[in-house]
């Protein structure tokens, strides 16, 4: 079963986008739009000051992590013992360097640690020829951050009234479910899933950026699942799963940047970020993304046993390939922005360096569509001239 939104053409150039795939109530939607706008603004400010895509994407993510309404950084879901453990990663399309952290506690902005891992690796080998790390987890990641001058932040400061009350509610639900299961001598293995399900925010955040030279960068950050198992790491930290960025080069017509959100386990097992990046090298990006979401995600052989597959992607593709009409302006960047999701909704924001304000949009599945089995896809195209057109 497949439901579609018509592609909506928006005559804008969009270098920045953020997302959270998940359910967005009307009140939450408003907060989400505000956060998206601020994040776009932060990134565009950096671009206007001459920063490259990597720096701009970091600025957007920091803003998203700092919002108490997103499941990333401050406001993240709490783990079983009431602590916050975050995942984040970042990729630079120019150098193709990558940095990631998993199950990281006690740091306000996990994306800054990922960013720092990326830039430290660019400096080359460590003493005695050791290879610098690109992905660190747990206490090792935390220690590395502290020794690299990133200040600690206690979990209590990152928890919010909302995340704490969700934690208490979830804990009661879990205890009740476990009590029922033992009283009725259910086989432990028999996943009865009694009681109301744990409420867990799937609102991972991400951003993708293209700068004026055509460099792309992507990043993603997540607080993970509520009541998660110790050591659980989601897609936001996994290579090829949470984000992907690759500039155009000889054998690659388009620069692409992708960031994903949703159920980490589904996104890891399908390597969705890289799949989408590869797919949209095809001529028709909209059709290619639609097919990737259908065949490599909803219909993926790797998720055949799942009743619903939950996720969302934002995809940016651009080329300097000025077509015939624009041959007088070879530097024109053709930018296409697409988003697609199988969750109820996804919040997207975008802004160009020529805009005075960011645009935001809450994309929803059409009425009657089943989340996890249907998808929505939308997007737009625009041309950014090197001249002031
Ligand atoms: C929750 O996170 C803290 C901080 O990383 C960790 O020490 C603790 O073991 C985690 N607890 C569980 C149950 O995952």
């Amino acid at each position: 079963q497949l439901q579609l939104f018509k592609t909506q053409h928006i005559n804008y150039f969009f270098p920045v986008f953020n997302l959270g795939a998940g359910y967005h109530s009307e009140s939450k939607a408003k907060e989400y739009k505000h956060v998206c706008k601020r994040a776009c603004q932060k990134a565009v400010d950096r671009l206007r000051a001459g920063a490259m895509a990597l720096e701009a994407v970091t600025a957007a993510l920091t803003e998203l992590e700092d919002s108490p309404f997103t499941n990333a950084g401050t406001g993240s879901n709490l783990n079983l013992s009431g602590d916050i453990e975050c995942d984040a990663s970042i990729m630079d399309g120019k150098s193709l360097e990558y940095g990631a952290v998993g199950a990281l506690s006690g740091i306000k902005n996990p994306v800054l640690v990922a960013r720092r891992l990326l830039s430290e690796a660019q400096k080359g080998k460590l003493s005695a020829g050791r290879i610098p790390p690109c992905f660190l987890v747990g206490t090792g990641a935390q220690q590395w951050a502290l020794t690299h001058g990133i200040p600690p932040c206690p979990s209590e400061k990152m928890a919010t009234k909302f995340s704490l009350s969700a934690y208490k509610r979830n804990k009661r639900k879990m205890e009740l479910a476990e009590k029922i299961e033992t009283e009725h001598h259910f086989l432990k293995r028999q996943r009865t899933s009694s009681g109301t399900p744990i409420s867990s925010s799937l609102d991972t955040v991400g951003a993708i950026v293209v700068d004026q030279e055509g460099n792309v960068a992507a990043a993603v950050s997540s607080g993970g699942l509520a009541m998660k198992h110790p050591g659980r790491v989601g897609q936001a930290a996994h290579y090829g799963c949470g984000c992907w960025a690759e500039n155009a080069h000889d054998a690659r017509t388009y620069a692409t940047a992708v960031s994903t959100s949703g159920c980490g386990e589904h996104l890891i097992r399908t390597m969705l970020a890289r799949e989408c990046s590869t797919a949209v090298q095809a001529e028709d990006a909209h059709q290619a993304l639609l097919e990737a979401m259908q065949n490599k995600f909803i219909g993926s052989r790797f998720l055949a046993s799942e009743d619903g597959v939950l996720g969302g992607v934002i995809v940016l593709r651009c080329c300097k390939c000025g077509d015939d009409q624009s041959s007088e302006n070879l530097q024109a960047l053709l930018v296409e922005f697409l988003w697609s999701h199988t969750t109820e909704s996804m919040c997207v924001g975008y802004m160009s360096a020529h805009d005075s304000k960011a645009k935001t949009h809450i994309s929803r599945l059409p009425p009657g569509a089943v989340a996890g089995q249907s998808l929505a896809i939308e997007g737009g195209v625009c041309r950014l001239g090197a001249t002031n057109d």
Side-chain angles (χ1 to χ4, degrees), residues 79-81 83-85 103 105 228-231:
N79 73 5
L80 268 172
S81 40
D83 249 312
I84 286 180
E85 285 183 314
S105 251
K228 62 188 173 188
H229 194 276

Side-chain angles (χ1 to χ4, degrees), residues 71-122:
N71 176 27
T74 301
S76 289
N77 287 325
L78 302 181
N79 73 5
L80 268 172
S81 40
D83 249 312
I84 286 180
E85 285 183 314
C86 297
D87 304 327
S89 61
I90 188 164
M91 187 164 174
D92 176 24
K94 188 178 186 194
S95 64
L96 302 179
E97 294 281 358
Y98 172 82
V101 289
L104 171 66
S105 251
I107 301 287
K108 185 165 157 279
N109 293 111
V111 73
L112 293 182
V113 187
R115 167 77 178 86
R116 189 66 185 271
L117 277 162
L118 185 155
S119 54
E120 287 297 314
Q122 280 178 320

Side-chain angles (χ1 to χ4, degrees), residues 23-33 362 364:
Y23 177 70
H24 297 110
S25 62
E26 287 308 320
S27 62
K28 213 172 171 195
K30 210 168 136 202
E31 297 299 346
Y32 254 84
K33 287 181 168 181
I362 303 241
R364 295 185 188 280

Side-chain angles (χ1 to χ4, degrees), residues 267-346:
L267 296 161
I268 290 170
R269 294 172 65 198
T270 51
M271 301 188 77
L272 196 63
R274 187 161 182 201
E275 279 295 353
C276 291
S277 167
T278 306
V280 298
Q281 287 296 319
E283 203 175 314
D284 183 342
H286 183 274
Q287 183 62 24
L289 181 63
L290 171 64
E291 283 171 17
M293 288 296 285
Q294 268 179 281
N295 305 331
K296 306 281 166 116
F297 196 54
I298 297 177
S300 171
R301 282 186 296 124
F302 300 98
L303 299 177
S305 62
E306 303 289 325
D307 351 309
V309 178
L310 294 171
V313 291
I314 46 173
V315 178
L316 184 71
R317 112 170 167 172
C318 50
C319 68
K320 284 184 185 163
C321 43
D323 54 26
D324 309 33
Q325 292 106 306
S326 71
S327 52
E328 78 281 359
N329 185 3
L330 291 169
Q331 282 303 325
L333 265 185
L334 185 68
V335 180
E336 287 167 83
F337 171 46
L338 298 155
W339 61 89
S340 179
H341 57 97
T342 65
T343 48
E344 261 335 309
S345 66
M346 184 163 85

